[in-house]
Amino acid sequence: MKLKTLALMGGAFCVLAACSSTGKNGQIIEKDTCEVVNPVITIRYSADPSARVFNDTLYIYPSHDRDEARWWDMEDYYVYSTTDMCHYKDEGLVFEPLKQTSWAKKYAWAPDCVEKNGKYYFYFPTDQDYIGVAVGDSPVGPFKDVIGKPLVTRHSPGIKAPRDFIDPAVFIDDDGTAYLLVGQNALNIIRLNEDMMSYEGKPVVLNNVNQLPYFFEGIWMHKYKGKYYLSYSTGPNIPGRGPQIAYAVADSVYGPYQYKGVILEEVSSGTNHSSIVEYKGQWYLFYHTSERALSLIPEGSPERDFVQWRRSVCVAPLYYNEDGTICPVEVKKSFKIMCK
């Protein structure tokens, strides 16, 4: 078997192997396999990945940990893309809310981006209080704050915000209805208007104890075989355990949800934040760790005390059981897929 290695942008690399099979006419059909090495983004630190597929391209919308970060004091957003899960392109700086809005003053944390009617809507939290939305004509912007104010705040009617008001994630259902999910220690579900930049009515707040045990942050919704899946970080809410990615399933957006278990155990970053997406027939879990920081910072260095604020995006294939439950994901340095 002949192998060749391709160096990739973003730090992953692809080992192409001539995996052959025989066609019906006796011809040899070669297939290429790809070894993806985690973390997949190494050009800069990145965390809290929201993975989205637009026009056959997978885009990663993470927060940006600064190289010398000693807290969650992120300031701007970069985007990355891939068409084969092997090559990751740095799409560059796409939005700076602390400079491009009049109201955001600090802390550009975990974002999300969705498309509707040919426009791309970039949702972002700032100041631990506000959720904004910026609009662009492409998945990589440029994005602009066209409404000139937050879309929703912790003080908006009906919002429950016992801690930080952060981590927006938008789910668009099969009928085109869009929902903004947001919050820490309390999940608010807000039905967005058609313009994706406004809403009417009060949010639905889910009961953590009965529906989302140990919910802390990092909410994500996806749909699989007609069921609605909510995955989230348990944060520090389980005594004696680090943050896990858990999930619950329901027959409708608003629930009721039934807790199903843990997808991903605690990782080296001290925080855990993920997204789930299907791409070219395979489901993936995107998450972050501090493994890159640990590899770059020498043992004994005082900078090792700050690796939880210097995270890097990773990915793993995700599989379902016949009953729709999700198989637990194991953190791995690398895995192989078919290059499509």
Side-chain angles (χ1 to χ4, degrees), residues 163-193:
R163 206 170 185 269
D164 295 336
F165 189 57
I166 57 172
D167 292 354
V170 173
F171 172 76
I172 301 178
D173 210 346
D174 298 334
D175 64 358
T177 304
Y179 302 86
L180 171 67
L181 299 92
V182 59
Q184 190 181 66
N185 276 341
L187 176 59
N188 302 265
I189 303 179
I190 302 168
R191 180 170 174 168
L192 296 173
N193 291 330

Side-chain angles (χ1 to χ4, degrees), residues 95 100-103 119-122 124 132-137 142-151 195-198:
F95 191 59
Q100 292 180 246
T101 75
S102 61
W103 48 268
K119 294 287 187 179
Y120 295 85
Y121 299 88
F122 185 84
F124 58 96
V133 56
V135 187
D137 292 323
F143 293 104
K144 296 181 179 180
D145 173 31
V146 298
I147 64 175
K149 62 180 181 179
L151 167 62
D195 65 5
M196 302 295 287
M197 297 181 291
S198 64

